[in-house]
């Protein structure tokens, strides 16, 4: 059984933030071998929304964050699933929760292999593929809903 959590930056407890940052480091830095500055100063902002799924023992299985970009655009990022929890649709569950009832415009930079996940939620590619820390990405956008 998993439990969905949704919190703004200031509402994250130290232990939850630690578990989230650990998952992000385990996957992005260690598994994908991308040495980059993950801690970018945006996690604790009041406008930052964190969504994650925990298992019964409190382990963070999957996570994403939604940032407030200029112009009223919401940016989804840091979408990550623990290696042990992949194949269960957890990222899709988090995307559903992030977009539920949202009418505004969303943007994200998808690892190109994951485009089909985001396309299911109305995101369309824009621009050219680019490398981010050596991994192919593409910007995808979902226009505002009426």
């Amino acid at each position: 059984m998993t439990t969905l959590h949704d919190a703004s930056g200031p509402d994250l407890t130290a232990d939850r933030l630690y578990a989230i940052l650990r998952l992000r480091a385990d996957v992005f830095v260690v598994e994908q071998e991308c040495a980059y500055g993950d801690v970018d100063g945006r996690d604790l902002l009041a406008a930052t929304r964190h969504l994650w799924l925990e298992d019964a023992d409190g382990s963070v299985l999957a996570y994403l964050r939604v940032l407030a970009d200029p112009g009223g655009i919401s940016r989804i990022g840091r979408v990550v699933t623990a290696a042990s929890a992949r194949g269960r649709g957890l990222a899709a569950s988090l995307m559903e929760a992030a977009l539920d009832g949202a009418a505004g415009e969303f943007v994200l930079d998808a690892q190109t292999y994951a485009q089909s996940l985001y396309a299911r939620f109305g995101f369309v590619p824009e621009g050219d593929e680019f490398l981010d820390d050596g991994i192919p990405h593409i910007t995808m956008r979902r226009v505002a809903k009426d």
Side-chain angles (χ1 to χ4, degrees):
M1 185 174 108
T2 61
T3 304
L4 174 67
H5 297 272
D6 188 336
S8 67
D11 295 329
L12 283 178
T13 62
D15 63 328
R16 286 302 91 208
L17 179 59
Y18 178 87
I20 288 165
L21 293 174
R22 181 174 182 160
L23 173 62
R24 288 173 12 189
D26 285 349
V27 174
F28 298 134
V29 178
V30 177
E31 181 182 329
Q32 294 183 350
E33 299 178 355
C34 295
Y36 75 104
D38 179 39
V39 180
D40 59 6
R42 298 184 79 178
D43 285 314
L44 296 179
L45 296 177
T48 299
R49 183 177 173 206
H50 301 270
L51 293 99
W52 71 96
L53 291 163
E54 289 183 1
D55 66 10
D57 73 1
S59 298
V60 176
L61 301 175
Y63 166 87
L64 67 72
R65 71 180 184 180
V66 182
L67 303 173
D69 273 3
I73 298 171
S74 297
R75 175 173 293 278
I76 294 177
R78 305 294 201 266
V79 181
V80 62
T81 303
S84 63
R86 292 185 189 143
R88 296 170 43 189
L90 299 181
S93 294
L94 288 174
M95 288 295 296
E96 287 173 6
L99 297 169
D100 185 37
E105 184 174 346
F106 283 80
V107 67
L108 55 82
D109 291 330
Q111 292 187 9
T112 54
Y113 80 89
Q115 284 183 75
S116 62
L117 166 66
Y118 304 115
R120 291 176 16 205
F121 298 98
F123 285 84
V124 296
E126 68 177 30
D128 296 325
E129 186 176 285
F130 61 94
L131 292 178
D132 189 2
D133 291 313
I135 297 174
H137 283 71
I138 190 148
T139 298
M140 298 183 78
R141 186 172 306 273
R142 187 181 98 152
V143 297
K145 305 284 185 185
D146 291 333

